[in-house]
Amino acid sequence: MAHFETQYQRLESSSTESPPGGGDLLVHVPEGAKSPWHHIENLDLFFSRVYNLHQKNGFTCMLIGEIFELMQFIFVVAFTTFLISCVDYDILFANKAVNHSQHPSEPIKVTLPDAFLPPNVCSARIQANSFLICILVIAGVFWIHRLVKFIYNICCYWEIHSFYINALKIPMSTLPYYTWQEVQARIVQIQKEHQICIHKKELTELDIYHRILRFKNYMVAMVNKSLLPIRFRLPLLGDTVFYTRGLKYNFELIFFWGPGSLFENEWSLKAEYKRAGNRLELAEKLSTRILWIGIANFLLCPLILIWQILYAFFSYTEILKREPGSLGARCWSLYGRCYLRHFNELDHELQSRLSKGYKPASKYMNCFISPLLTIVAKNVAFFAGSILAVLIALTIYDEDVLAVEHVLTTVTLLGVGITVCRSFIPDQHLVFCPEQLLRVILAHIHYMPDHWQGNAHRYETRDEFAQLFQYKAVFILEELLSPIITPLILIVCLRPKSLDIVDFFRNFTVEVVGVGDTCSFAQMDVRQHGHPAWMSAGKTEASIYQQAEDGKTELSLMHFAITNPKWQPPRESTAFIGFLKERVHRDSSVALAQQAVLPENALFSSIQSLQSESEPHSLIANVIAGSSALGFHMGRDGQASRHLSEVASALRSFSPLQSAQQPPGGFQTAGRDGEGAQPRGASAMTASGYHSGEKPLAGQRQCH
């Protein structure tokens, strides 16, 4: 048990979200005055359904989508069975002649139905295949389970449908045009009338976020503290990340909602996990449970693998045929989505940030095309194009050329090969500036290791960024391998961390009145979890084991305050926001006195050119870019002042977007005559060049 040693420390429960003197508050409502939504027992599930219905654009859209998912499952199973047992491939491939007429001398034209076996033959072949029958039985049981779950969900969502119409006064026809903040504001408003939660007189925005994101906040915190075994160092491959939907599902099954999980319900951690006395026994119990779940994954591996292959085949084959280069495109990895996610950030907010950073991220990765690979691709494309041109010319001259065996296949393969080769040939007129592109990306993703700054042109930085922004083909491959690798990770890698996991949930769980047990990191308390390098020096009591890495506490607090301007921050966080506001006002006064304009800064220009006026999240990047200067060089007035000037300028630029009636605790900035600077169109990709000493990439034009 020596490897179970841990240095996590116990944190005291926080009551920042409790009303003054309301530790055990219960609101009494006369029986006759109760609304249908008075004292909803499971608010986590209720608010999650309210959010999901909003994101799915109403009840009708959600209903149709669920029906098509059921039909899609039936189609995959039925169509696969048909292809296996009901097709005569000898006729389809013209290996066997078909006689349509009693006159053999007549020319025979083979049609597609000729390759289909008669129903009785098809049925006999299915019955003779015992493995196929076993698969069909399992698929049938699984589909019936999904059908029952679908019917149950429809009944539950009909209640949410009524809640929107009768309580929130939002008809389904106009729901897609409401923002989530507007829906959330109405929920907060009707709390006084309906008493959805009887433990608090008033709900806050953070209460609702905590309910919806309770388990996701735990997952973000565990990834942030490197507790989950998702990073590995492998021979030949080096540092790799493996985090798939199947592995994520198993983590959540073990920790949150599966049989024997750490939580007794959606809002409460089991009492034994809150006490340190029996931590070793709980760790052994958790280790045994992980072992059994890993064994179950091994036993179900063949079925899951078959489903993964079939689903990938039916999902991506048409896309690959239509867009052969689509597998060469990139997407944000599942690990990247968890690593880059703020505490208390909803799915649509995260997706919005990452979508804005997608184009600059793609351009940055395209900077690293190998010159040798480019030369090979150009020549392969030339040879393939020459052969394809001849075949096309012959086809135009006489269409019977297509009837020659394998000609159509050759044309298709040559076309795919040319498309793939073109993806490795950069546009010779483009100018790549990796350092500036990385700063543009930072304006949206908000997280970047310190050693990336100034090293954007290096392949080491590119490889690390590729863990967040991977090829779609790699994503598909990892999902296909997931049924095989997931059991190994659970049994070999996760089990030794059992005690660390038990200690994590004990040390970083706090009980909030009206909310239940939540991850203490989600409180965004800079005193308990702040990082001294992120403007929290002197304001945090957190040890190195208690502080969130990469400034996630501070950045999450800023993001939440900007997204929810009417939210009143806890006392411990007000000082941090007040520090930013003070520097903003001070910088504004200096700028007005000197009649200065906004600084010509490449990062700020990129932020202004790419930001959305309705979502000013990218201003956080100004703080990130200078976090090191703030944390470790606070005495150097030149660096700190320049960085704070950028922060102030960015914050001033959003002042017209903020409400004039914001509460004092909100994230509000000042501008000249009540107006802020208008966004400029300059972009970092064209506004400035490499830093001094930066080496241009081989085969690329250097920006000046």
Side-chain angles (χ1 to χ4, degrees):
M1 301 297 291
H3 62 281
F4 278 161
E5 294 298 326
T6 180
Q7 302 186 57
Y8 284 125
Q9 301 296 319
R10 172 69 177 167
L11 295 179
E12 297 298 327
S13 297
S14 172
S15 59
T16 53
E17 289 301 310
S18 306
D24 298 315
L25 177 66
L26 289 176
V27 180
H28 174 71
V29 179
E31 190 70 26
K34 290 183 180 179
S35 74
W37 298 281
H38 172 75
H39 185 197
I40 297 174
E41 182 177 358
N42 192 340
L43 277 174
D44 285 40
L45 197 57
F46 181 79
F47 285 146
S48 296
R49 286 171 176 163
V50 171
Y51 176 72
N52 290 337
L53 192 63
H54 173 268
Q55 292 301 301
K56 293 181 179 179
N57 299 309
F59 183 80
T60 303
C61 293
M62 188 210 67
L63 177 64
I64 294 176
E66 293 285 341
I67 292 175
F68 273 112
E69 284 188 11
L70 289 173
M71 294 173 59
Q72 186 181 80
F73 183 83
I74 294 177
F75 173 80
V76 170
V77 174
F79 189 52
T80 303
T81 303
F82 175 80
L83 293 177
I84 293 173
S85 303
C86 301
V87 177
D88 191 338
Y89 289 97
D90 287 333
I91 295 178
L92 190 64
F93 296 148
N95 295 328
K96 184 169 66 175
V98 179
N99 187 9
H100 283 288
S101 173
Q102 297 179 353
H103 304 283
S105 59
E106 292 183 3
I108 298 175
K109 184 176 181 180
V110 180
T111 61
L112 189 60
D114 293 332
F116 299 160
L117 296 175
N120 58 336
V121 177
C122 180
S123 176
R125 294 183 64 176
I126 293 176
Q127 295 175 9
N129 192 336
S130 57
F131 178 76
L132 180 59
I133 292 177
C134 180
I135 296 295
L136 291 177
V137 170
I138 296 175
V141 172
F142 180 72
W143 186 84
I144 292 175
H145 170 263
R146 290 188 60 176
L147 178 63
V148 173
K149 186 177 179 181
F150 163 75
I151 296 174
Y152 172 76
N153 285 337
I154 291 303
C155 295
C156 294
Y157 275 102
W158 182 255
E159 180 185 357
I160 305 301
H161 168 269
S162 302
F163 176 76
Y164 267 104
I165 295 176
N166 299 320
L168 299 183
K169 309 299 180 184
I170 300 177
M172 288 293 103
S173 58
T174 60
L175 179 59
Y177 308 105
Y178 279 81
T179 65
W180 170 249
Q181 275 65 33
E182 292 173 325
V183 174
Q184 182 176 254
R186 296 202 180 193
I187 296 174
V188 172
Q189 183 179 2
I190 68 169
Q191 162 67 10
K192 300 177 181 179
E193 175 186 355
H194 296 278
Q195 288 302 319
I196 300 174
C197 176
I198 65 171
H199 297 280
K200 301 183 70 174
K201 287 184 178 179
E202 297 182 357
L203 284 176
T204 68
E205 293 84 352
L206 189 59
D207 290 336
I208 298 175
Y209 273 70
H210 277 166
R211 294 273 187 183
I212 298 174
L213 299 169
R214 189 187 306 273
F215 296 153
K216 290 184 179 179
N217 281 330
Y218 275 108
M219 293 296 292
V220 171
M222 285 190 283
V223 170
N224 180 259
K225 298 299 291 183
S226 301
L227 185 61
L228 298 179
I230 55 180
R231 301 187 67 95
F232 308 95
R233 187 169 186 83
L234 303 176
L236 302 179
L237 298 179
D239 291 329
T240 59
V241 172
F242 187 85
Y243 190 47
T244 63
R245 288 179 291 192
L247 185 59
K248 176 175 176 286
Y249 177 87
N250 278 275
F251 285 156
E252 294 174 350
L253 176 71
I254 293 169
F255 301 144
F256 305 123
W257 54 266
S261 65
L262 282 63
F263 281 75
E264 60 182 350
N265 50 46
E266 282 85 352
W267 61 89
S268 179
L269 185 69
K270 289 180 179 178
E272 57 265 29
Y273 287 96
K274 299 178 182 179
R275 298 187 295 266
N278 56 345
R279 52 194 290 268
L280 297 179
E281 292 79 1
L282 292 174
E284 285 291 348
K285 181 180 177 181
L286 178 61
S287 177
T288 303
R289 184 165 176 268
I290 294 173
L291 174 62
W292 283 111
I293 291 180
I295 294 174
N297 274 268
F298 264 125
L299 297 177
L300 295 174
C301 174
L303 298 178
I304 300 174
L305 183 60
I306 291 173
W307 170 255
Q308 293 278 56
I309 294 174
L310 291 176
Y311 188 81
F313 176 78
F314 290 126
S315 299
Y316 297 107
T317 301
E318 188 275 334
I319 298 176
L320 183 61
K321 178 181 178 299
R322 177 166 38 90
E323 300 177 13
S326 60
L327 294 182
R330 290 183 177 269
C331 62
W332 295 103
S333 67
L334 193 61
Y335 166 74
R337 289 178 177 274
C338 195
Y339 172 78
L340 299 175
R341 189 170 197 149
H342 296 303
F343 295 120
N344 302 309
E345 183 174 26
L346 293 170
D347 292 344
H348 76 280
E349 296 168 353
L350 174 66
Q351 183 61 38
S352 176
R353 283 199 300 119
L354 298 185
S355 295
K356 293 173 186 176
Y358 181 85
K359 287 187 177 179
S362 297
K363 291 180 179 179
Y364 173 74
M365 297 303 291
N366 289 338
C367 292
F368 294 89
I369 295 178
S370 169
L372 179 60
L373 186 60
T374 300
I375 295 174
V376 174
K378 286 181 178 179
N379 286 274
V380 171
F382 170 78
F383 296 132
S386 301
I387 299 173
L388 181 62
V390 172
L391 292 177
I392 292 176
L394 292 174
T395 301
I396 294 175
Y397 177 75
D398 188 349
E399 62 181 11
D400 291 336
V401 173
L402 291 176
V404 178
E405 189 176 14
H406 301 314
V407 168
L408 186 58
T409 303
T410 303
V411 170
T412 303
L413 292 178
L414 288 173
V416 170
I418 293 172
T419 304
V420 172
C421 288
R422 285 177 179 173
S423 65
F424 295 103
I425 303 175
D427 187 345
Q428 60 180 347
H429 301 293
L430 290 180
V431 179
F432 294 102
C433 303
E435 194 71 41
Q436 305 305 327
L437 282 172
L438 198 59
R439 292 191 178 189
V440 177
I441 298 168
L442 176 63
H444 300 294
I445 68 174
H446 298 170
Y447 294 98
M448 185 178 76
D450 291 338
H451 63 271
W452 285 10
Q453 299 186 30
N455 295 309
H457 59 285
R458 297 186 178 276
Y459 267 88
E460 293 82 358
T461 303
R462 180 259 184 202
D463 292 340
E464 292 182 18
F465 185 71
Q467 295 175 351
L468 308 178
F469 195 60
Q470 63 183 175
Y471 280 116
K472 190 173 294 185
V474 175
F475 170 80
I476 297 172
L477 180 62
E478 288 182 349
E479 291 296 332
L480 293 177
L481 295 176
S482 179
I484 302 173
I485 299 178
T486 294
L488 298 176
I489 294 178
L490 294 179
I491 296 174
V492 178
C493 303
L494 185 62
R495 287 184 65 214
K497 292 179 174 288
S498 297
L499 185 60
D500 288 339
I501 293 171
V502 170
D503 288 336
F504 176 88
F505 279 93
R506 184 185 70 256
N507 295 329
F508 297 116
T509 295
V510 294
E511 184 177 356
V512 179
V513 174
V515 178
D517 292 332
T518 63
C519 181
S520 60
F521 288 102
Q523 293 295 104
M524 301 176 295
D525 188 345
V526 295
R527 179 176 59 85
Q528 289 188 352
H529 297 301
H531 198 293
W534 292 80
M535 302 169 64
S536 296
K539 302 179 179 64
T540 179
E541 302 173 1
S543 66
I544 191 173
Y545 304 102
Q546 295 170 342
Q547 65 193 20
E549 305 301 328
D550 304 317
K552 191 171 283 287
T553 300
E554 290 80 4
L555 292 172
S556 298
L557 176 62
M558 293 174 61
H559 172 269
F560 192 85
I562 293 170
T563 306
N564 301 274
K566 295 183 180 180
W567 172 65
Q568 293 284 352
R571 291 187 300 271
E572 293 80 2
S573 302
T574 303
F576 171 74
I577 297 179
F579 170 77
L580 283 180
K581 291 173 61 179
E582 178 185 355
R583 300 308 294 257
V584 168
H585 289 298
R586 184 183 307 176
D587 185 80
S588 300
S589 301
V590 173
L592 289 175
Q594 299 177 353
Q595 295 183 348
V597 296
L598 295 179
E600 290 296 333
N601 175 271
L603 172 59
F604 177 61
S605 300
S606 68
I607 292 172
Q608 294 285 32
S609 64
L610 294 176
Q611 72 194 12
S612 167
E613 293 186 357
S614 62
E615 296 180 308
H617 301 145
S618 56
L619 69 87
I620 298 177
N622 288 271
V623 178
I624 308 170
S627 61
S628 299
L630 285 165
F632 303 108
H633 305 287
M634 214 35 135
R636 302 181 184 179
D637 296 335
Q639 293 182 2
S641 299
R642 180 167 59 87
H643 168 63
L644 288 169
S645 176
E646 296 171 6
V647 176
S649 300
L651 292 173
R652 280 202 311 273
S653 69
F654 297 113
S655 59
L657 307 178
Q658 305 297 332
S659 172
Q661 299 179 351
Q662 269 185 308
F667 210 102
Q668 189 175 2
T669 60
R672 179 171 56 187
D673 300 330
E675 296 182 358
Q678 298 298 321
R680 297 180 296 173
S683 171
M685 288 174 281
T686 56
S688 62
Y690 287 93
H691 286 268
S692 59
E694 181 176 338
K695 182 180 178 181
L697 297 177
Q700 308 294 351
R701 292 176 180 265
Q702 180 179 356
C703 51
H704 299 284

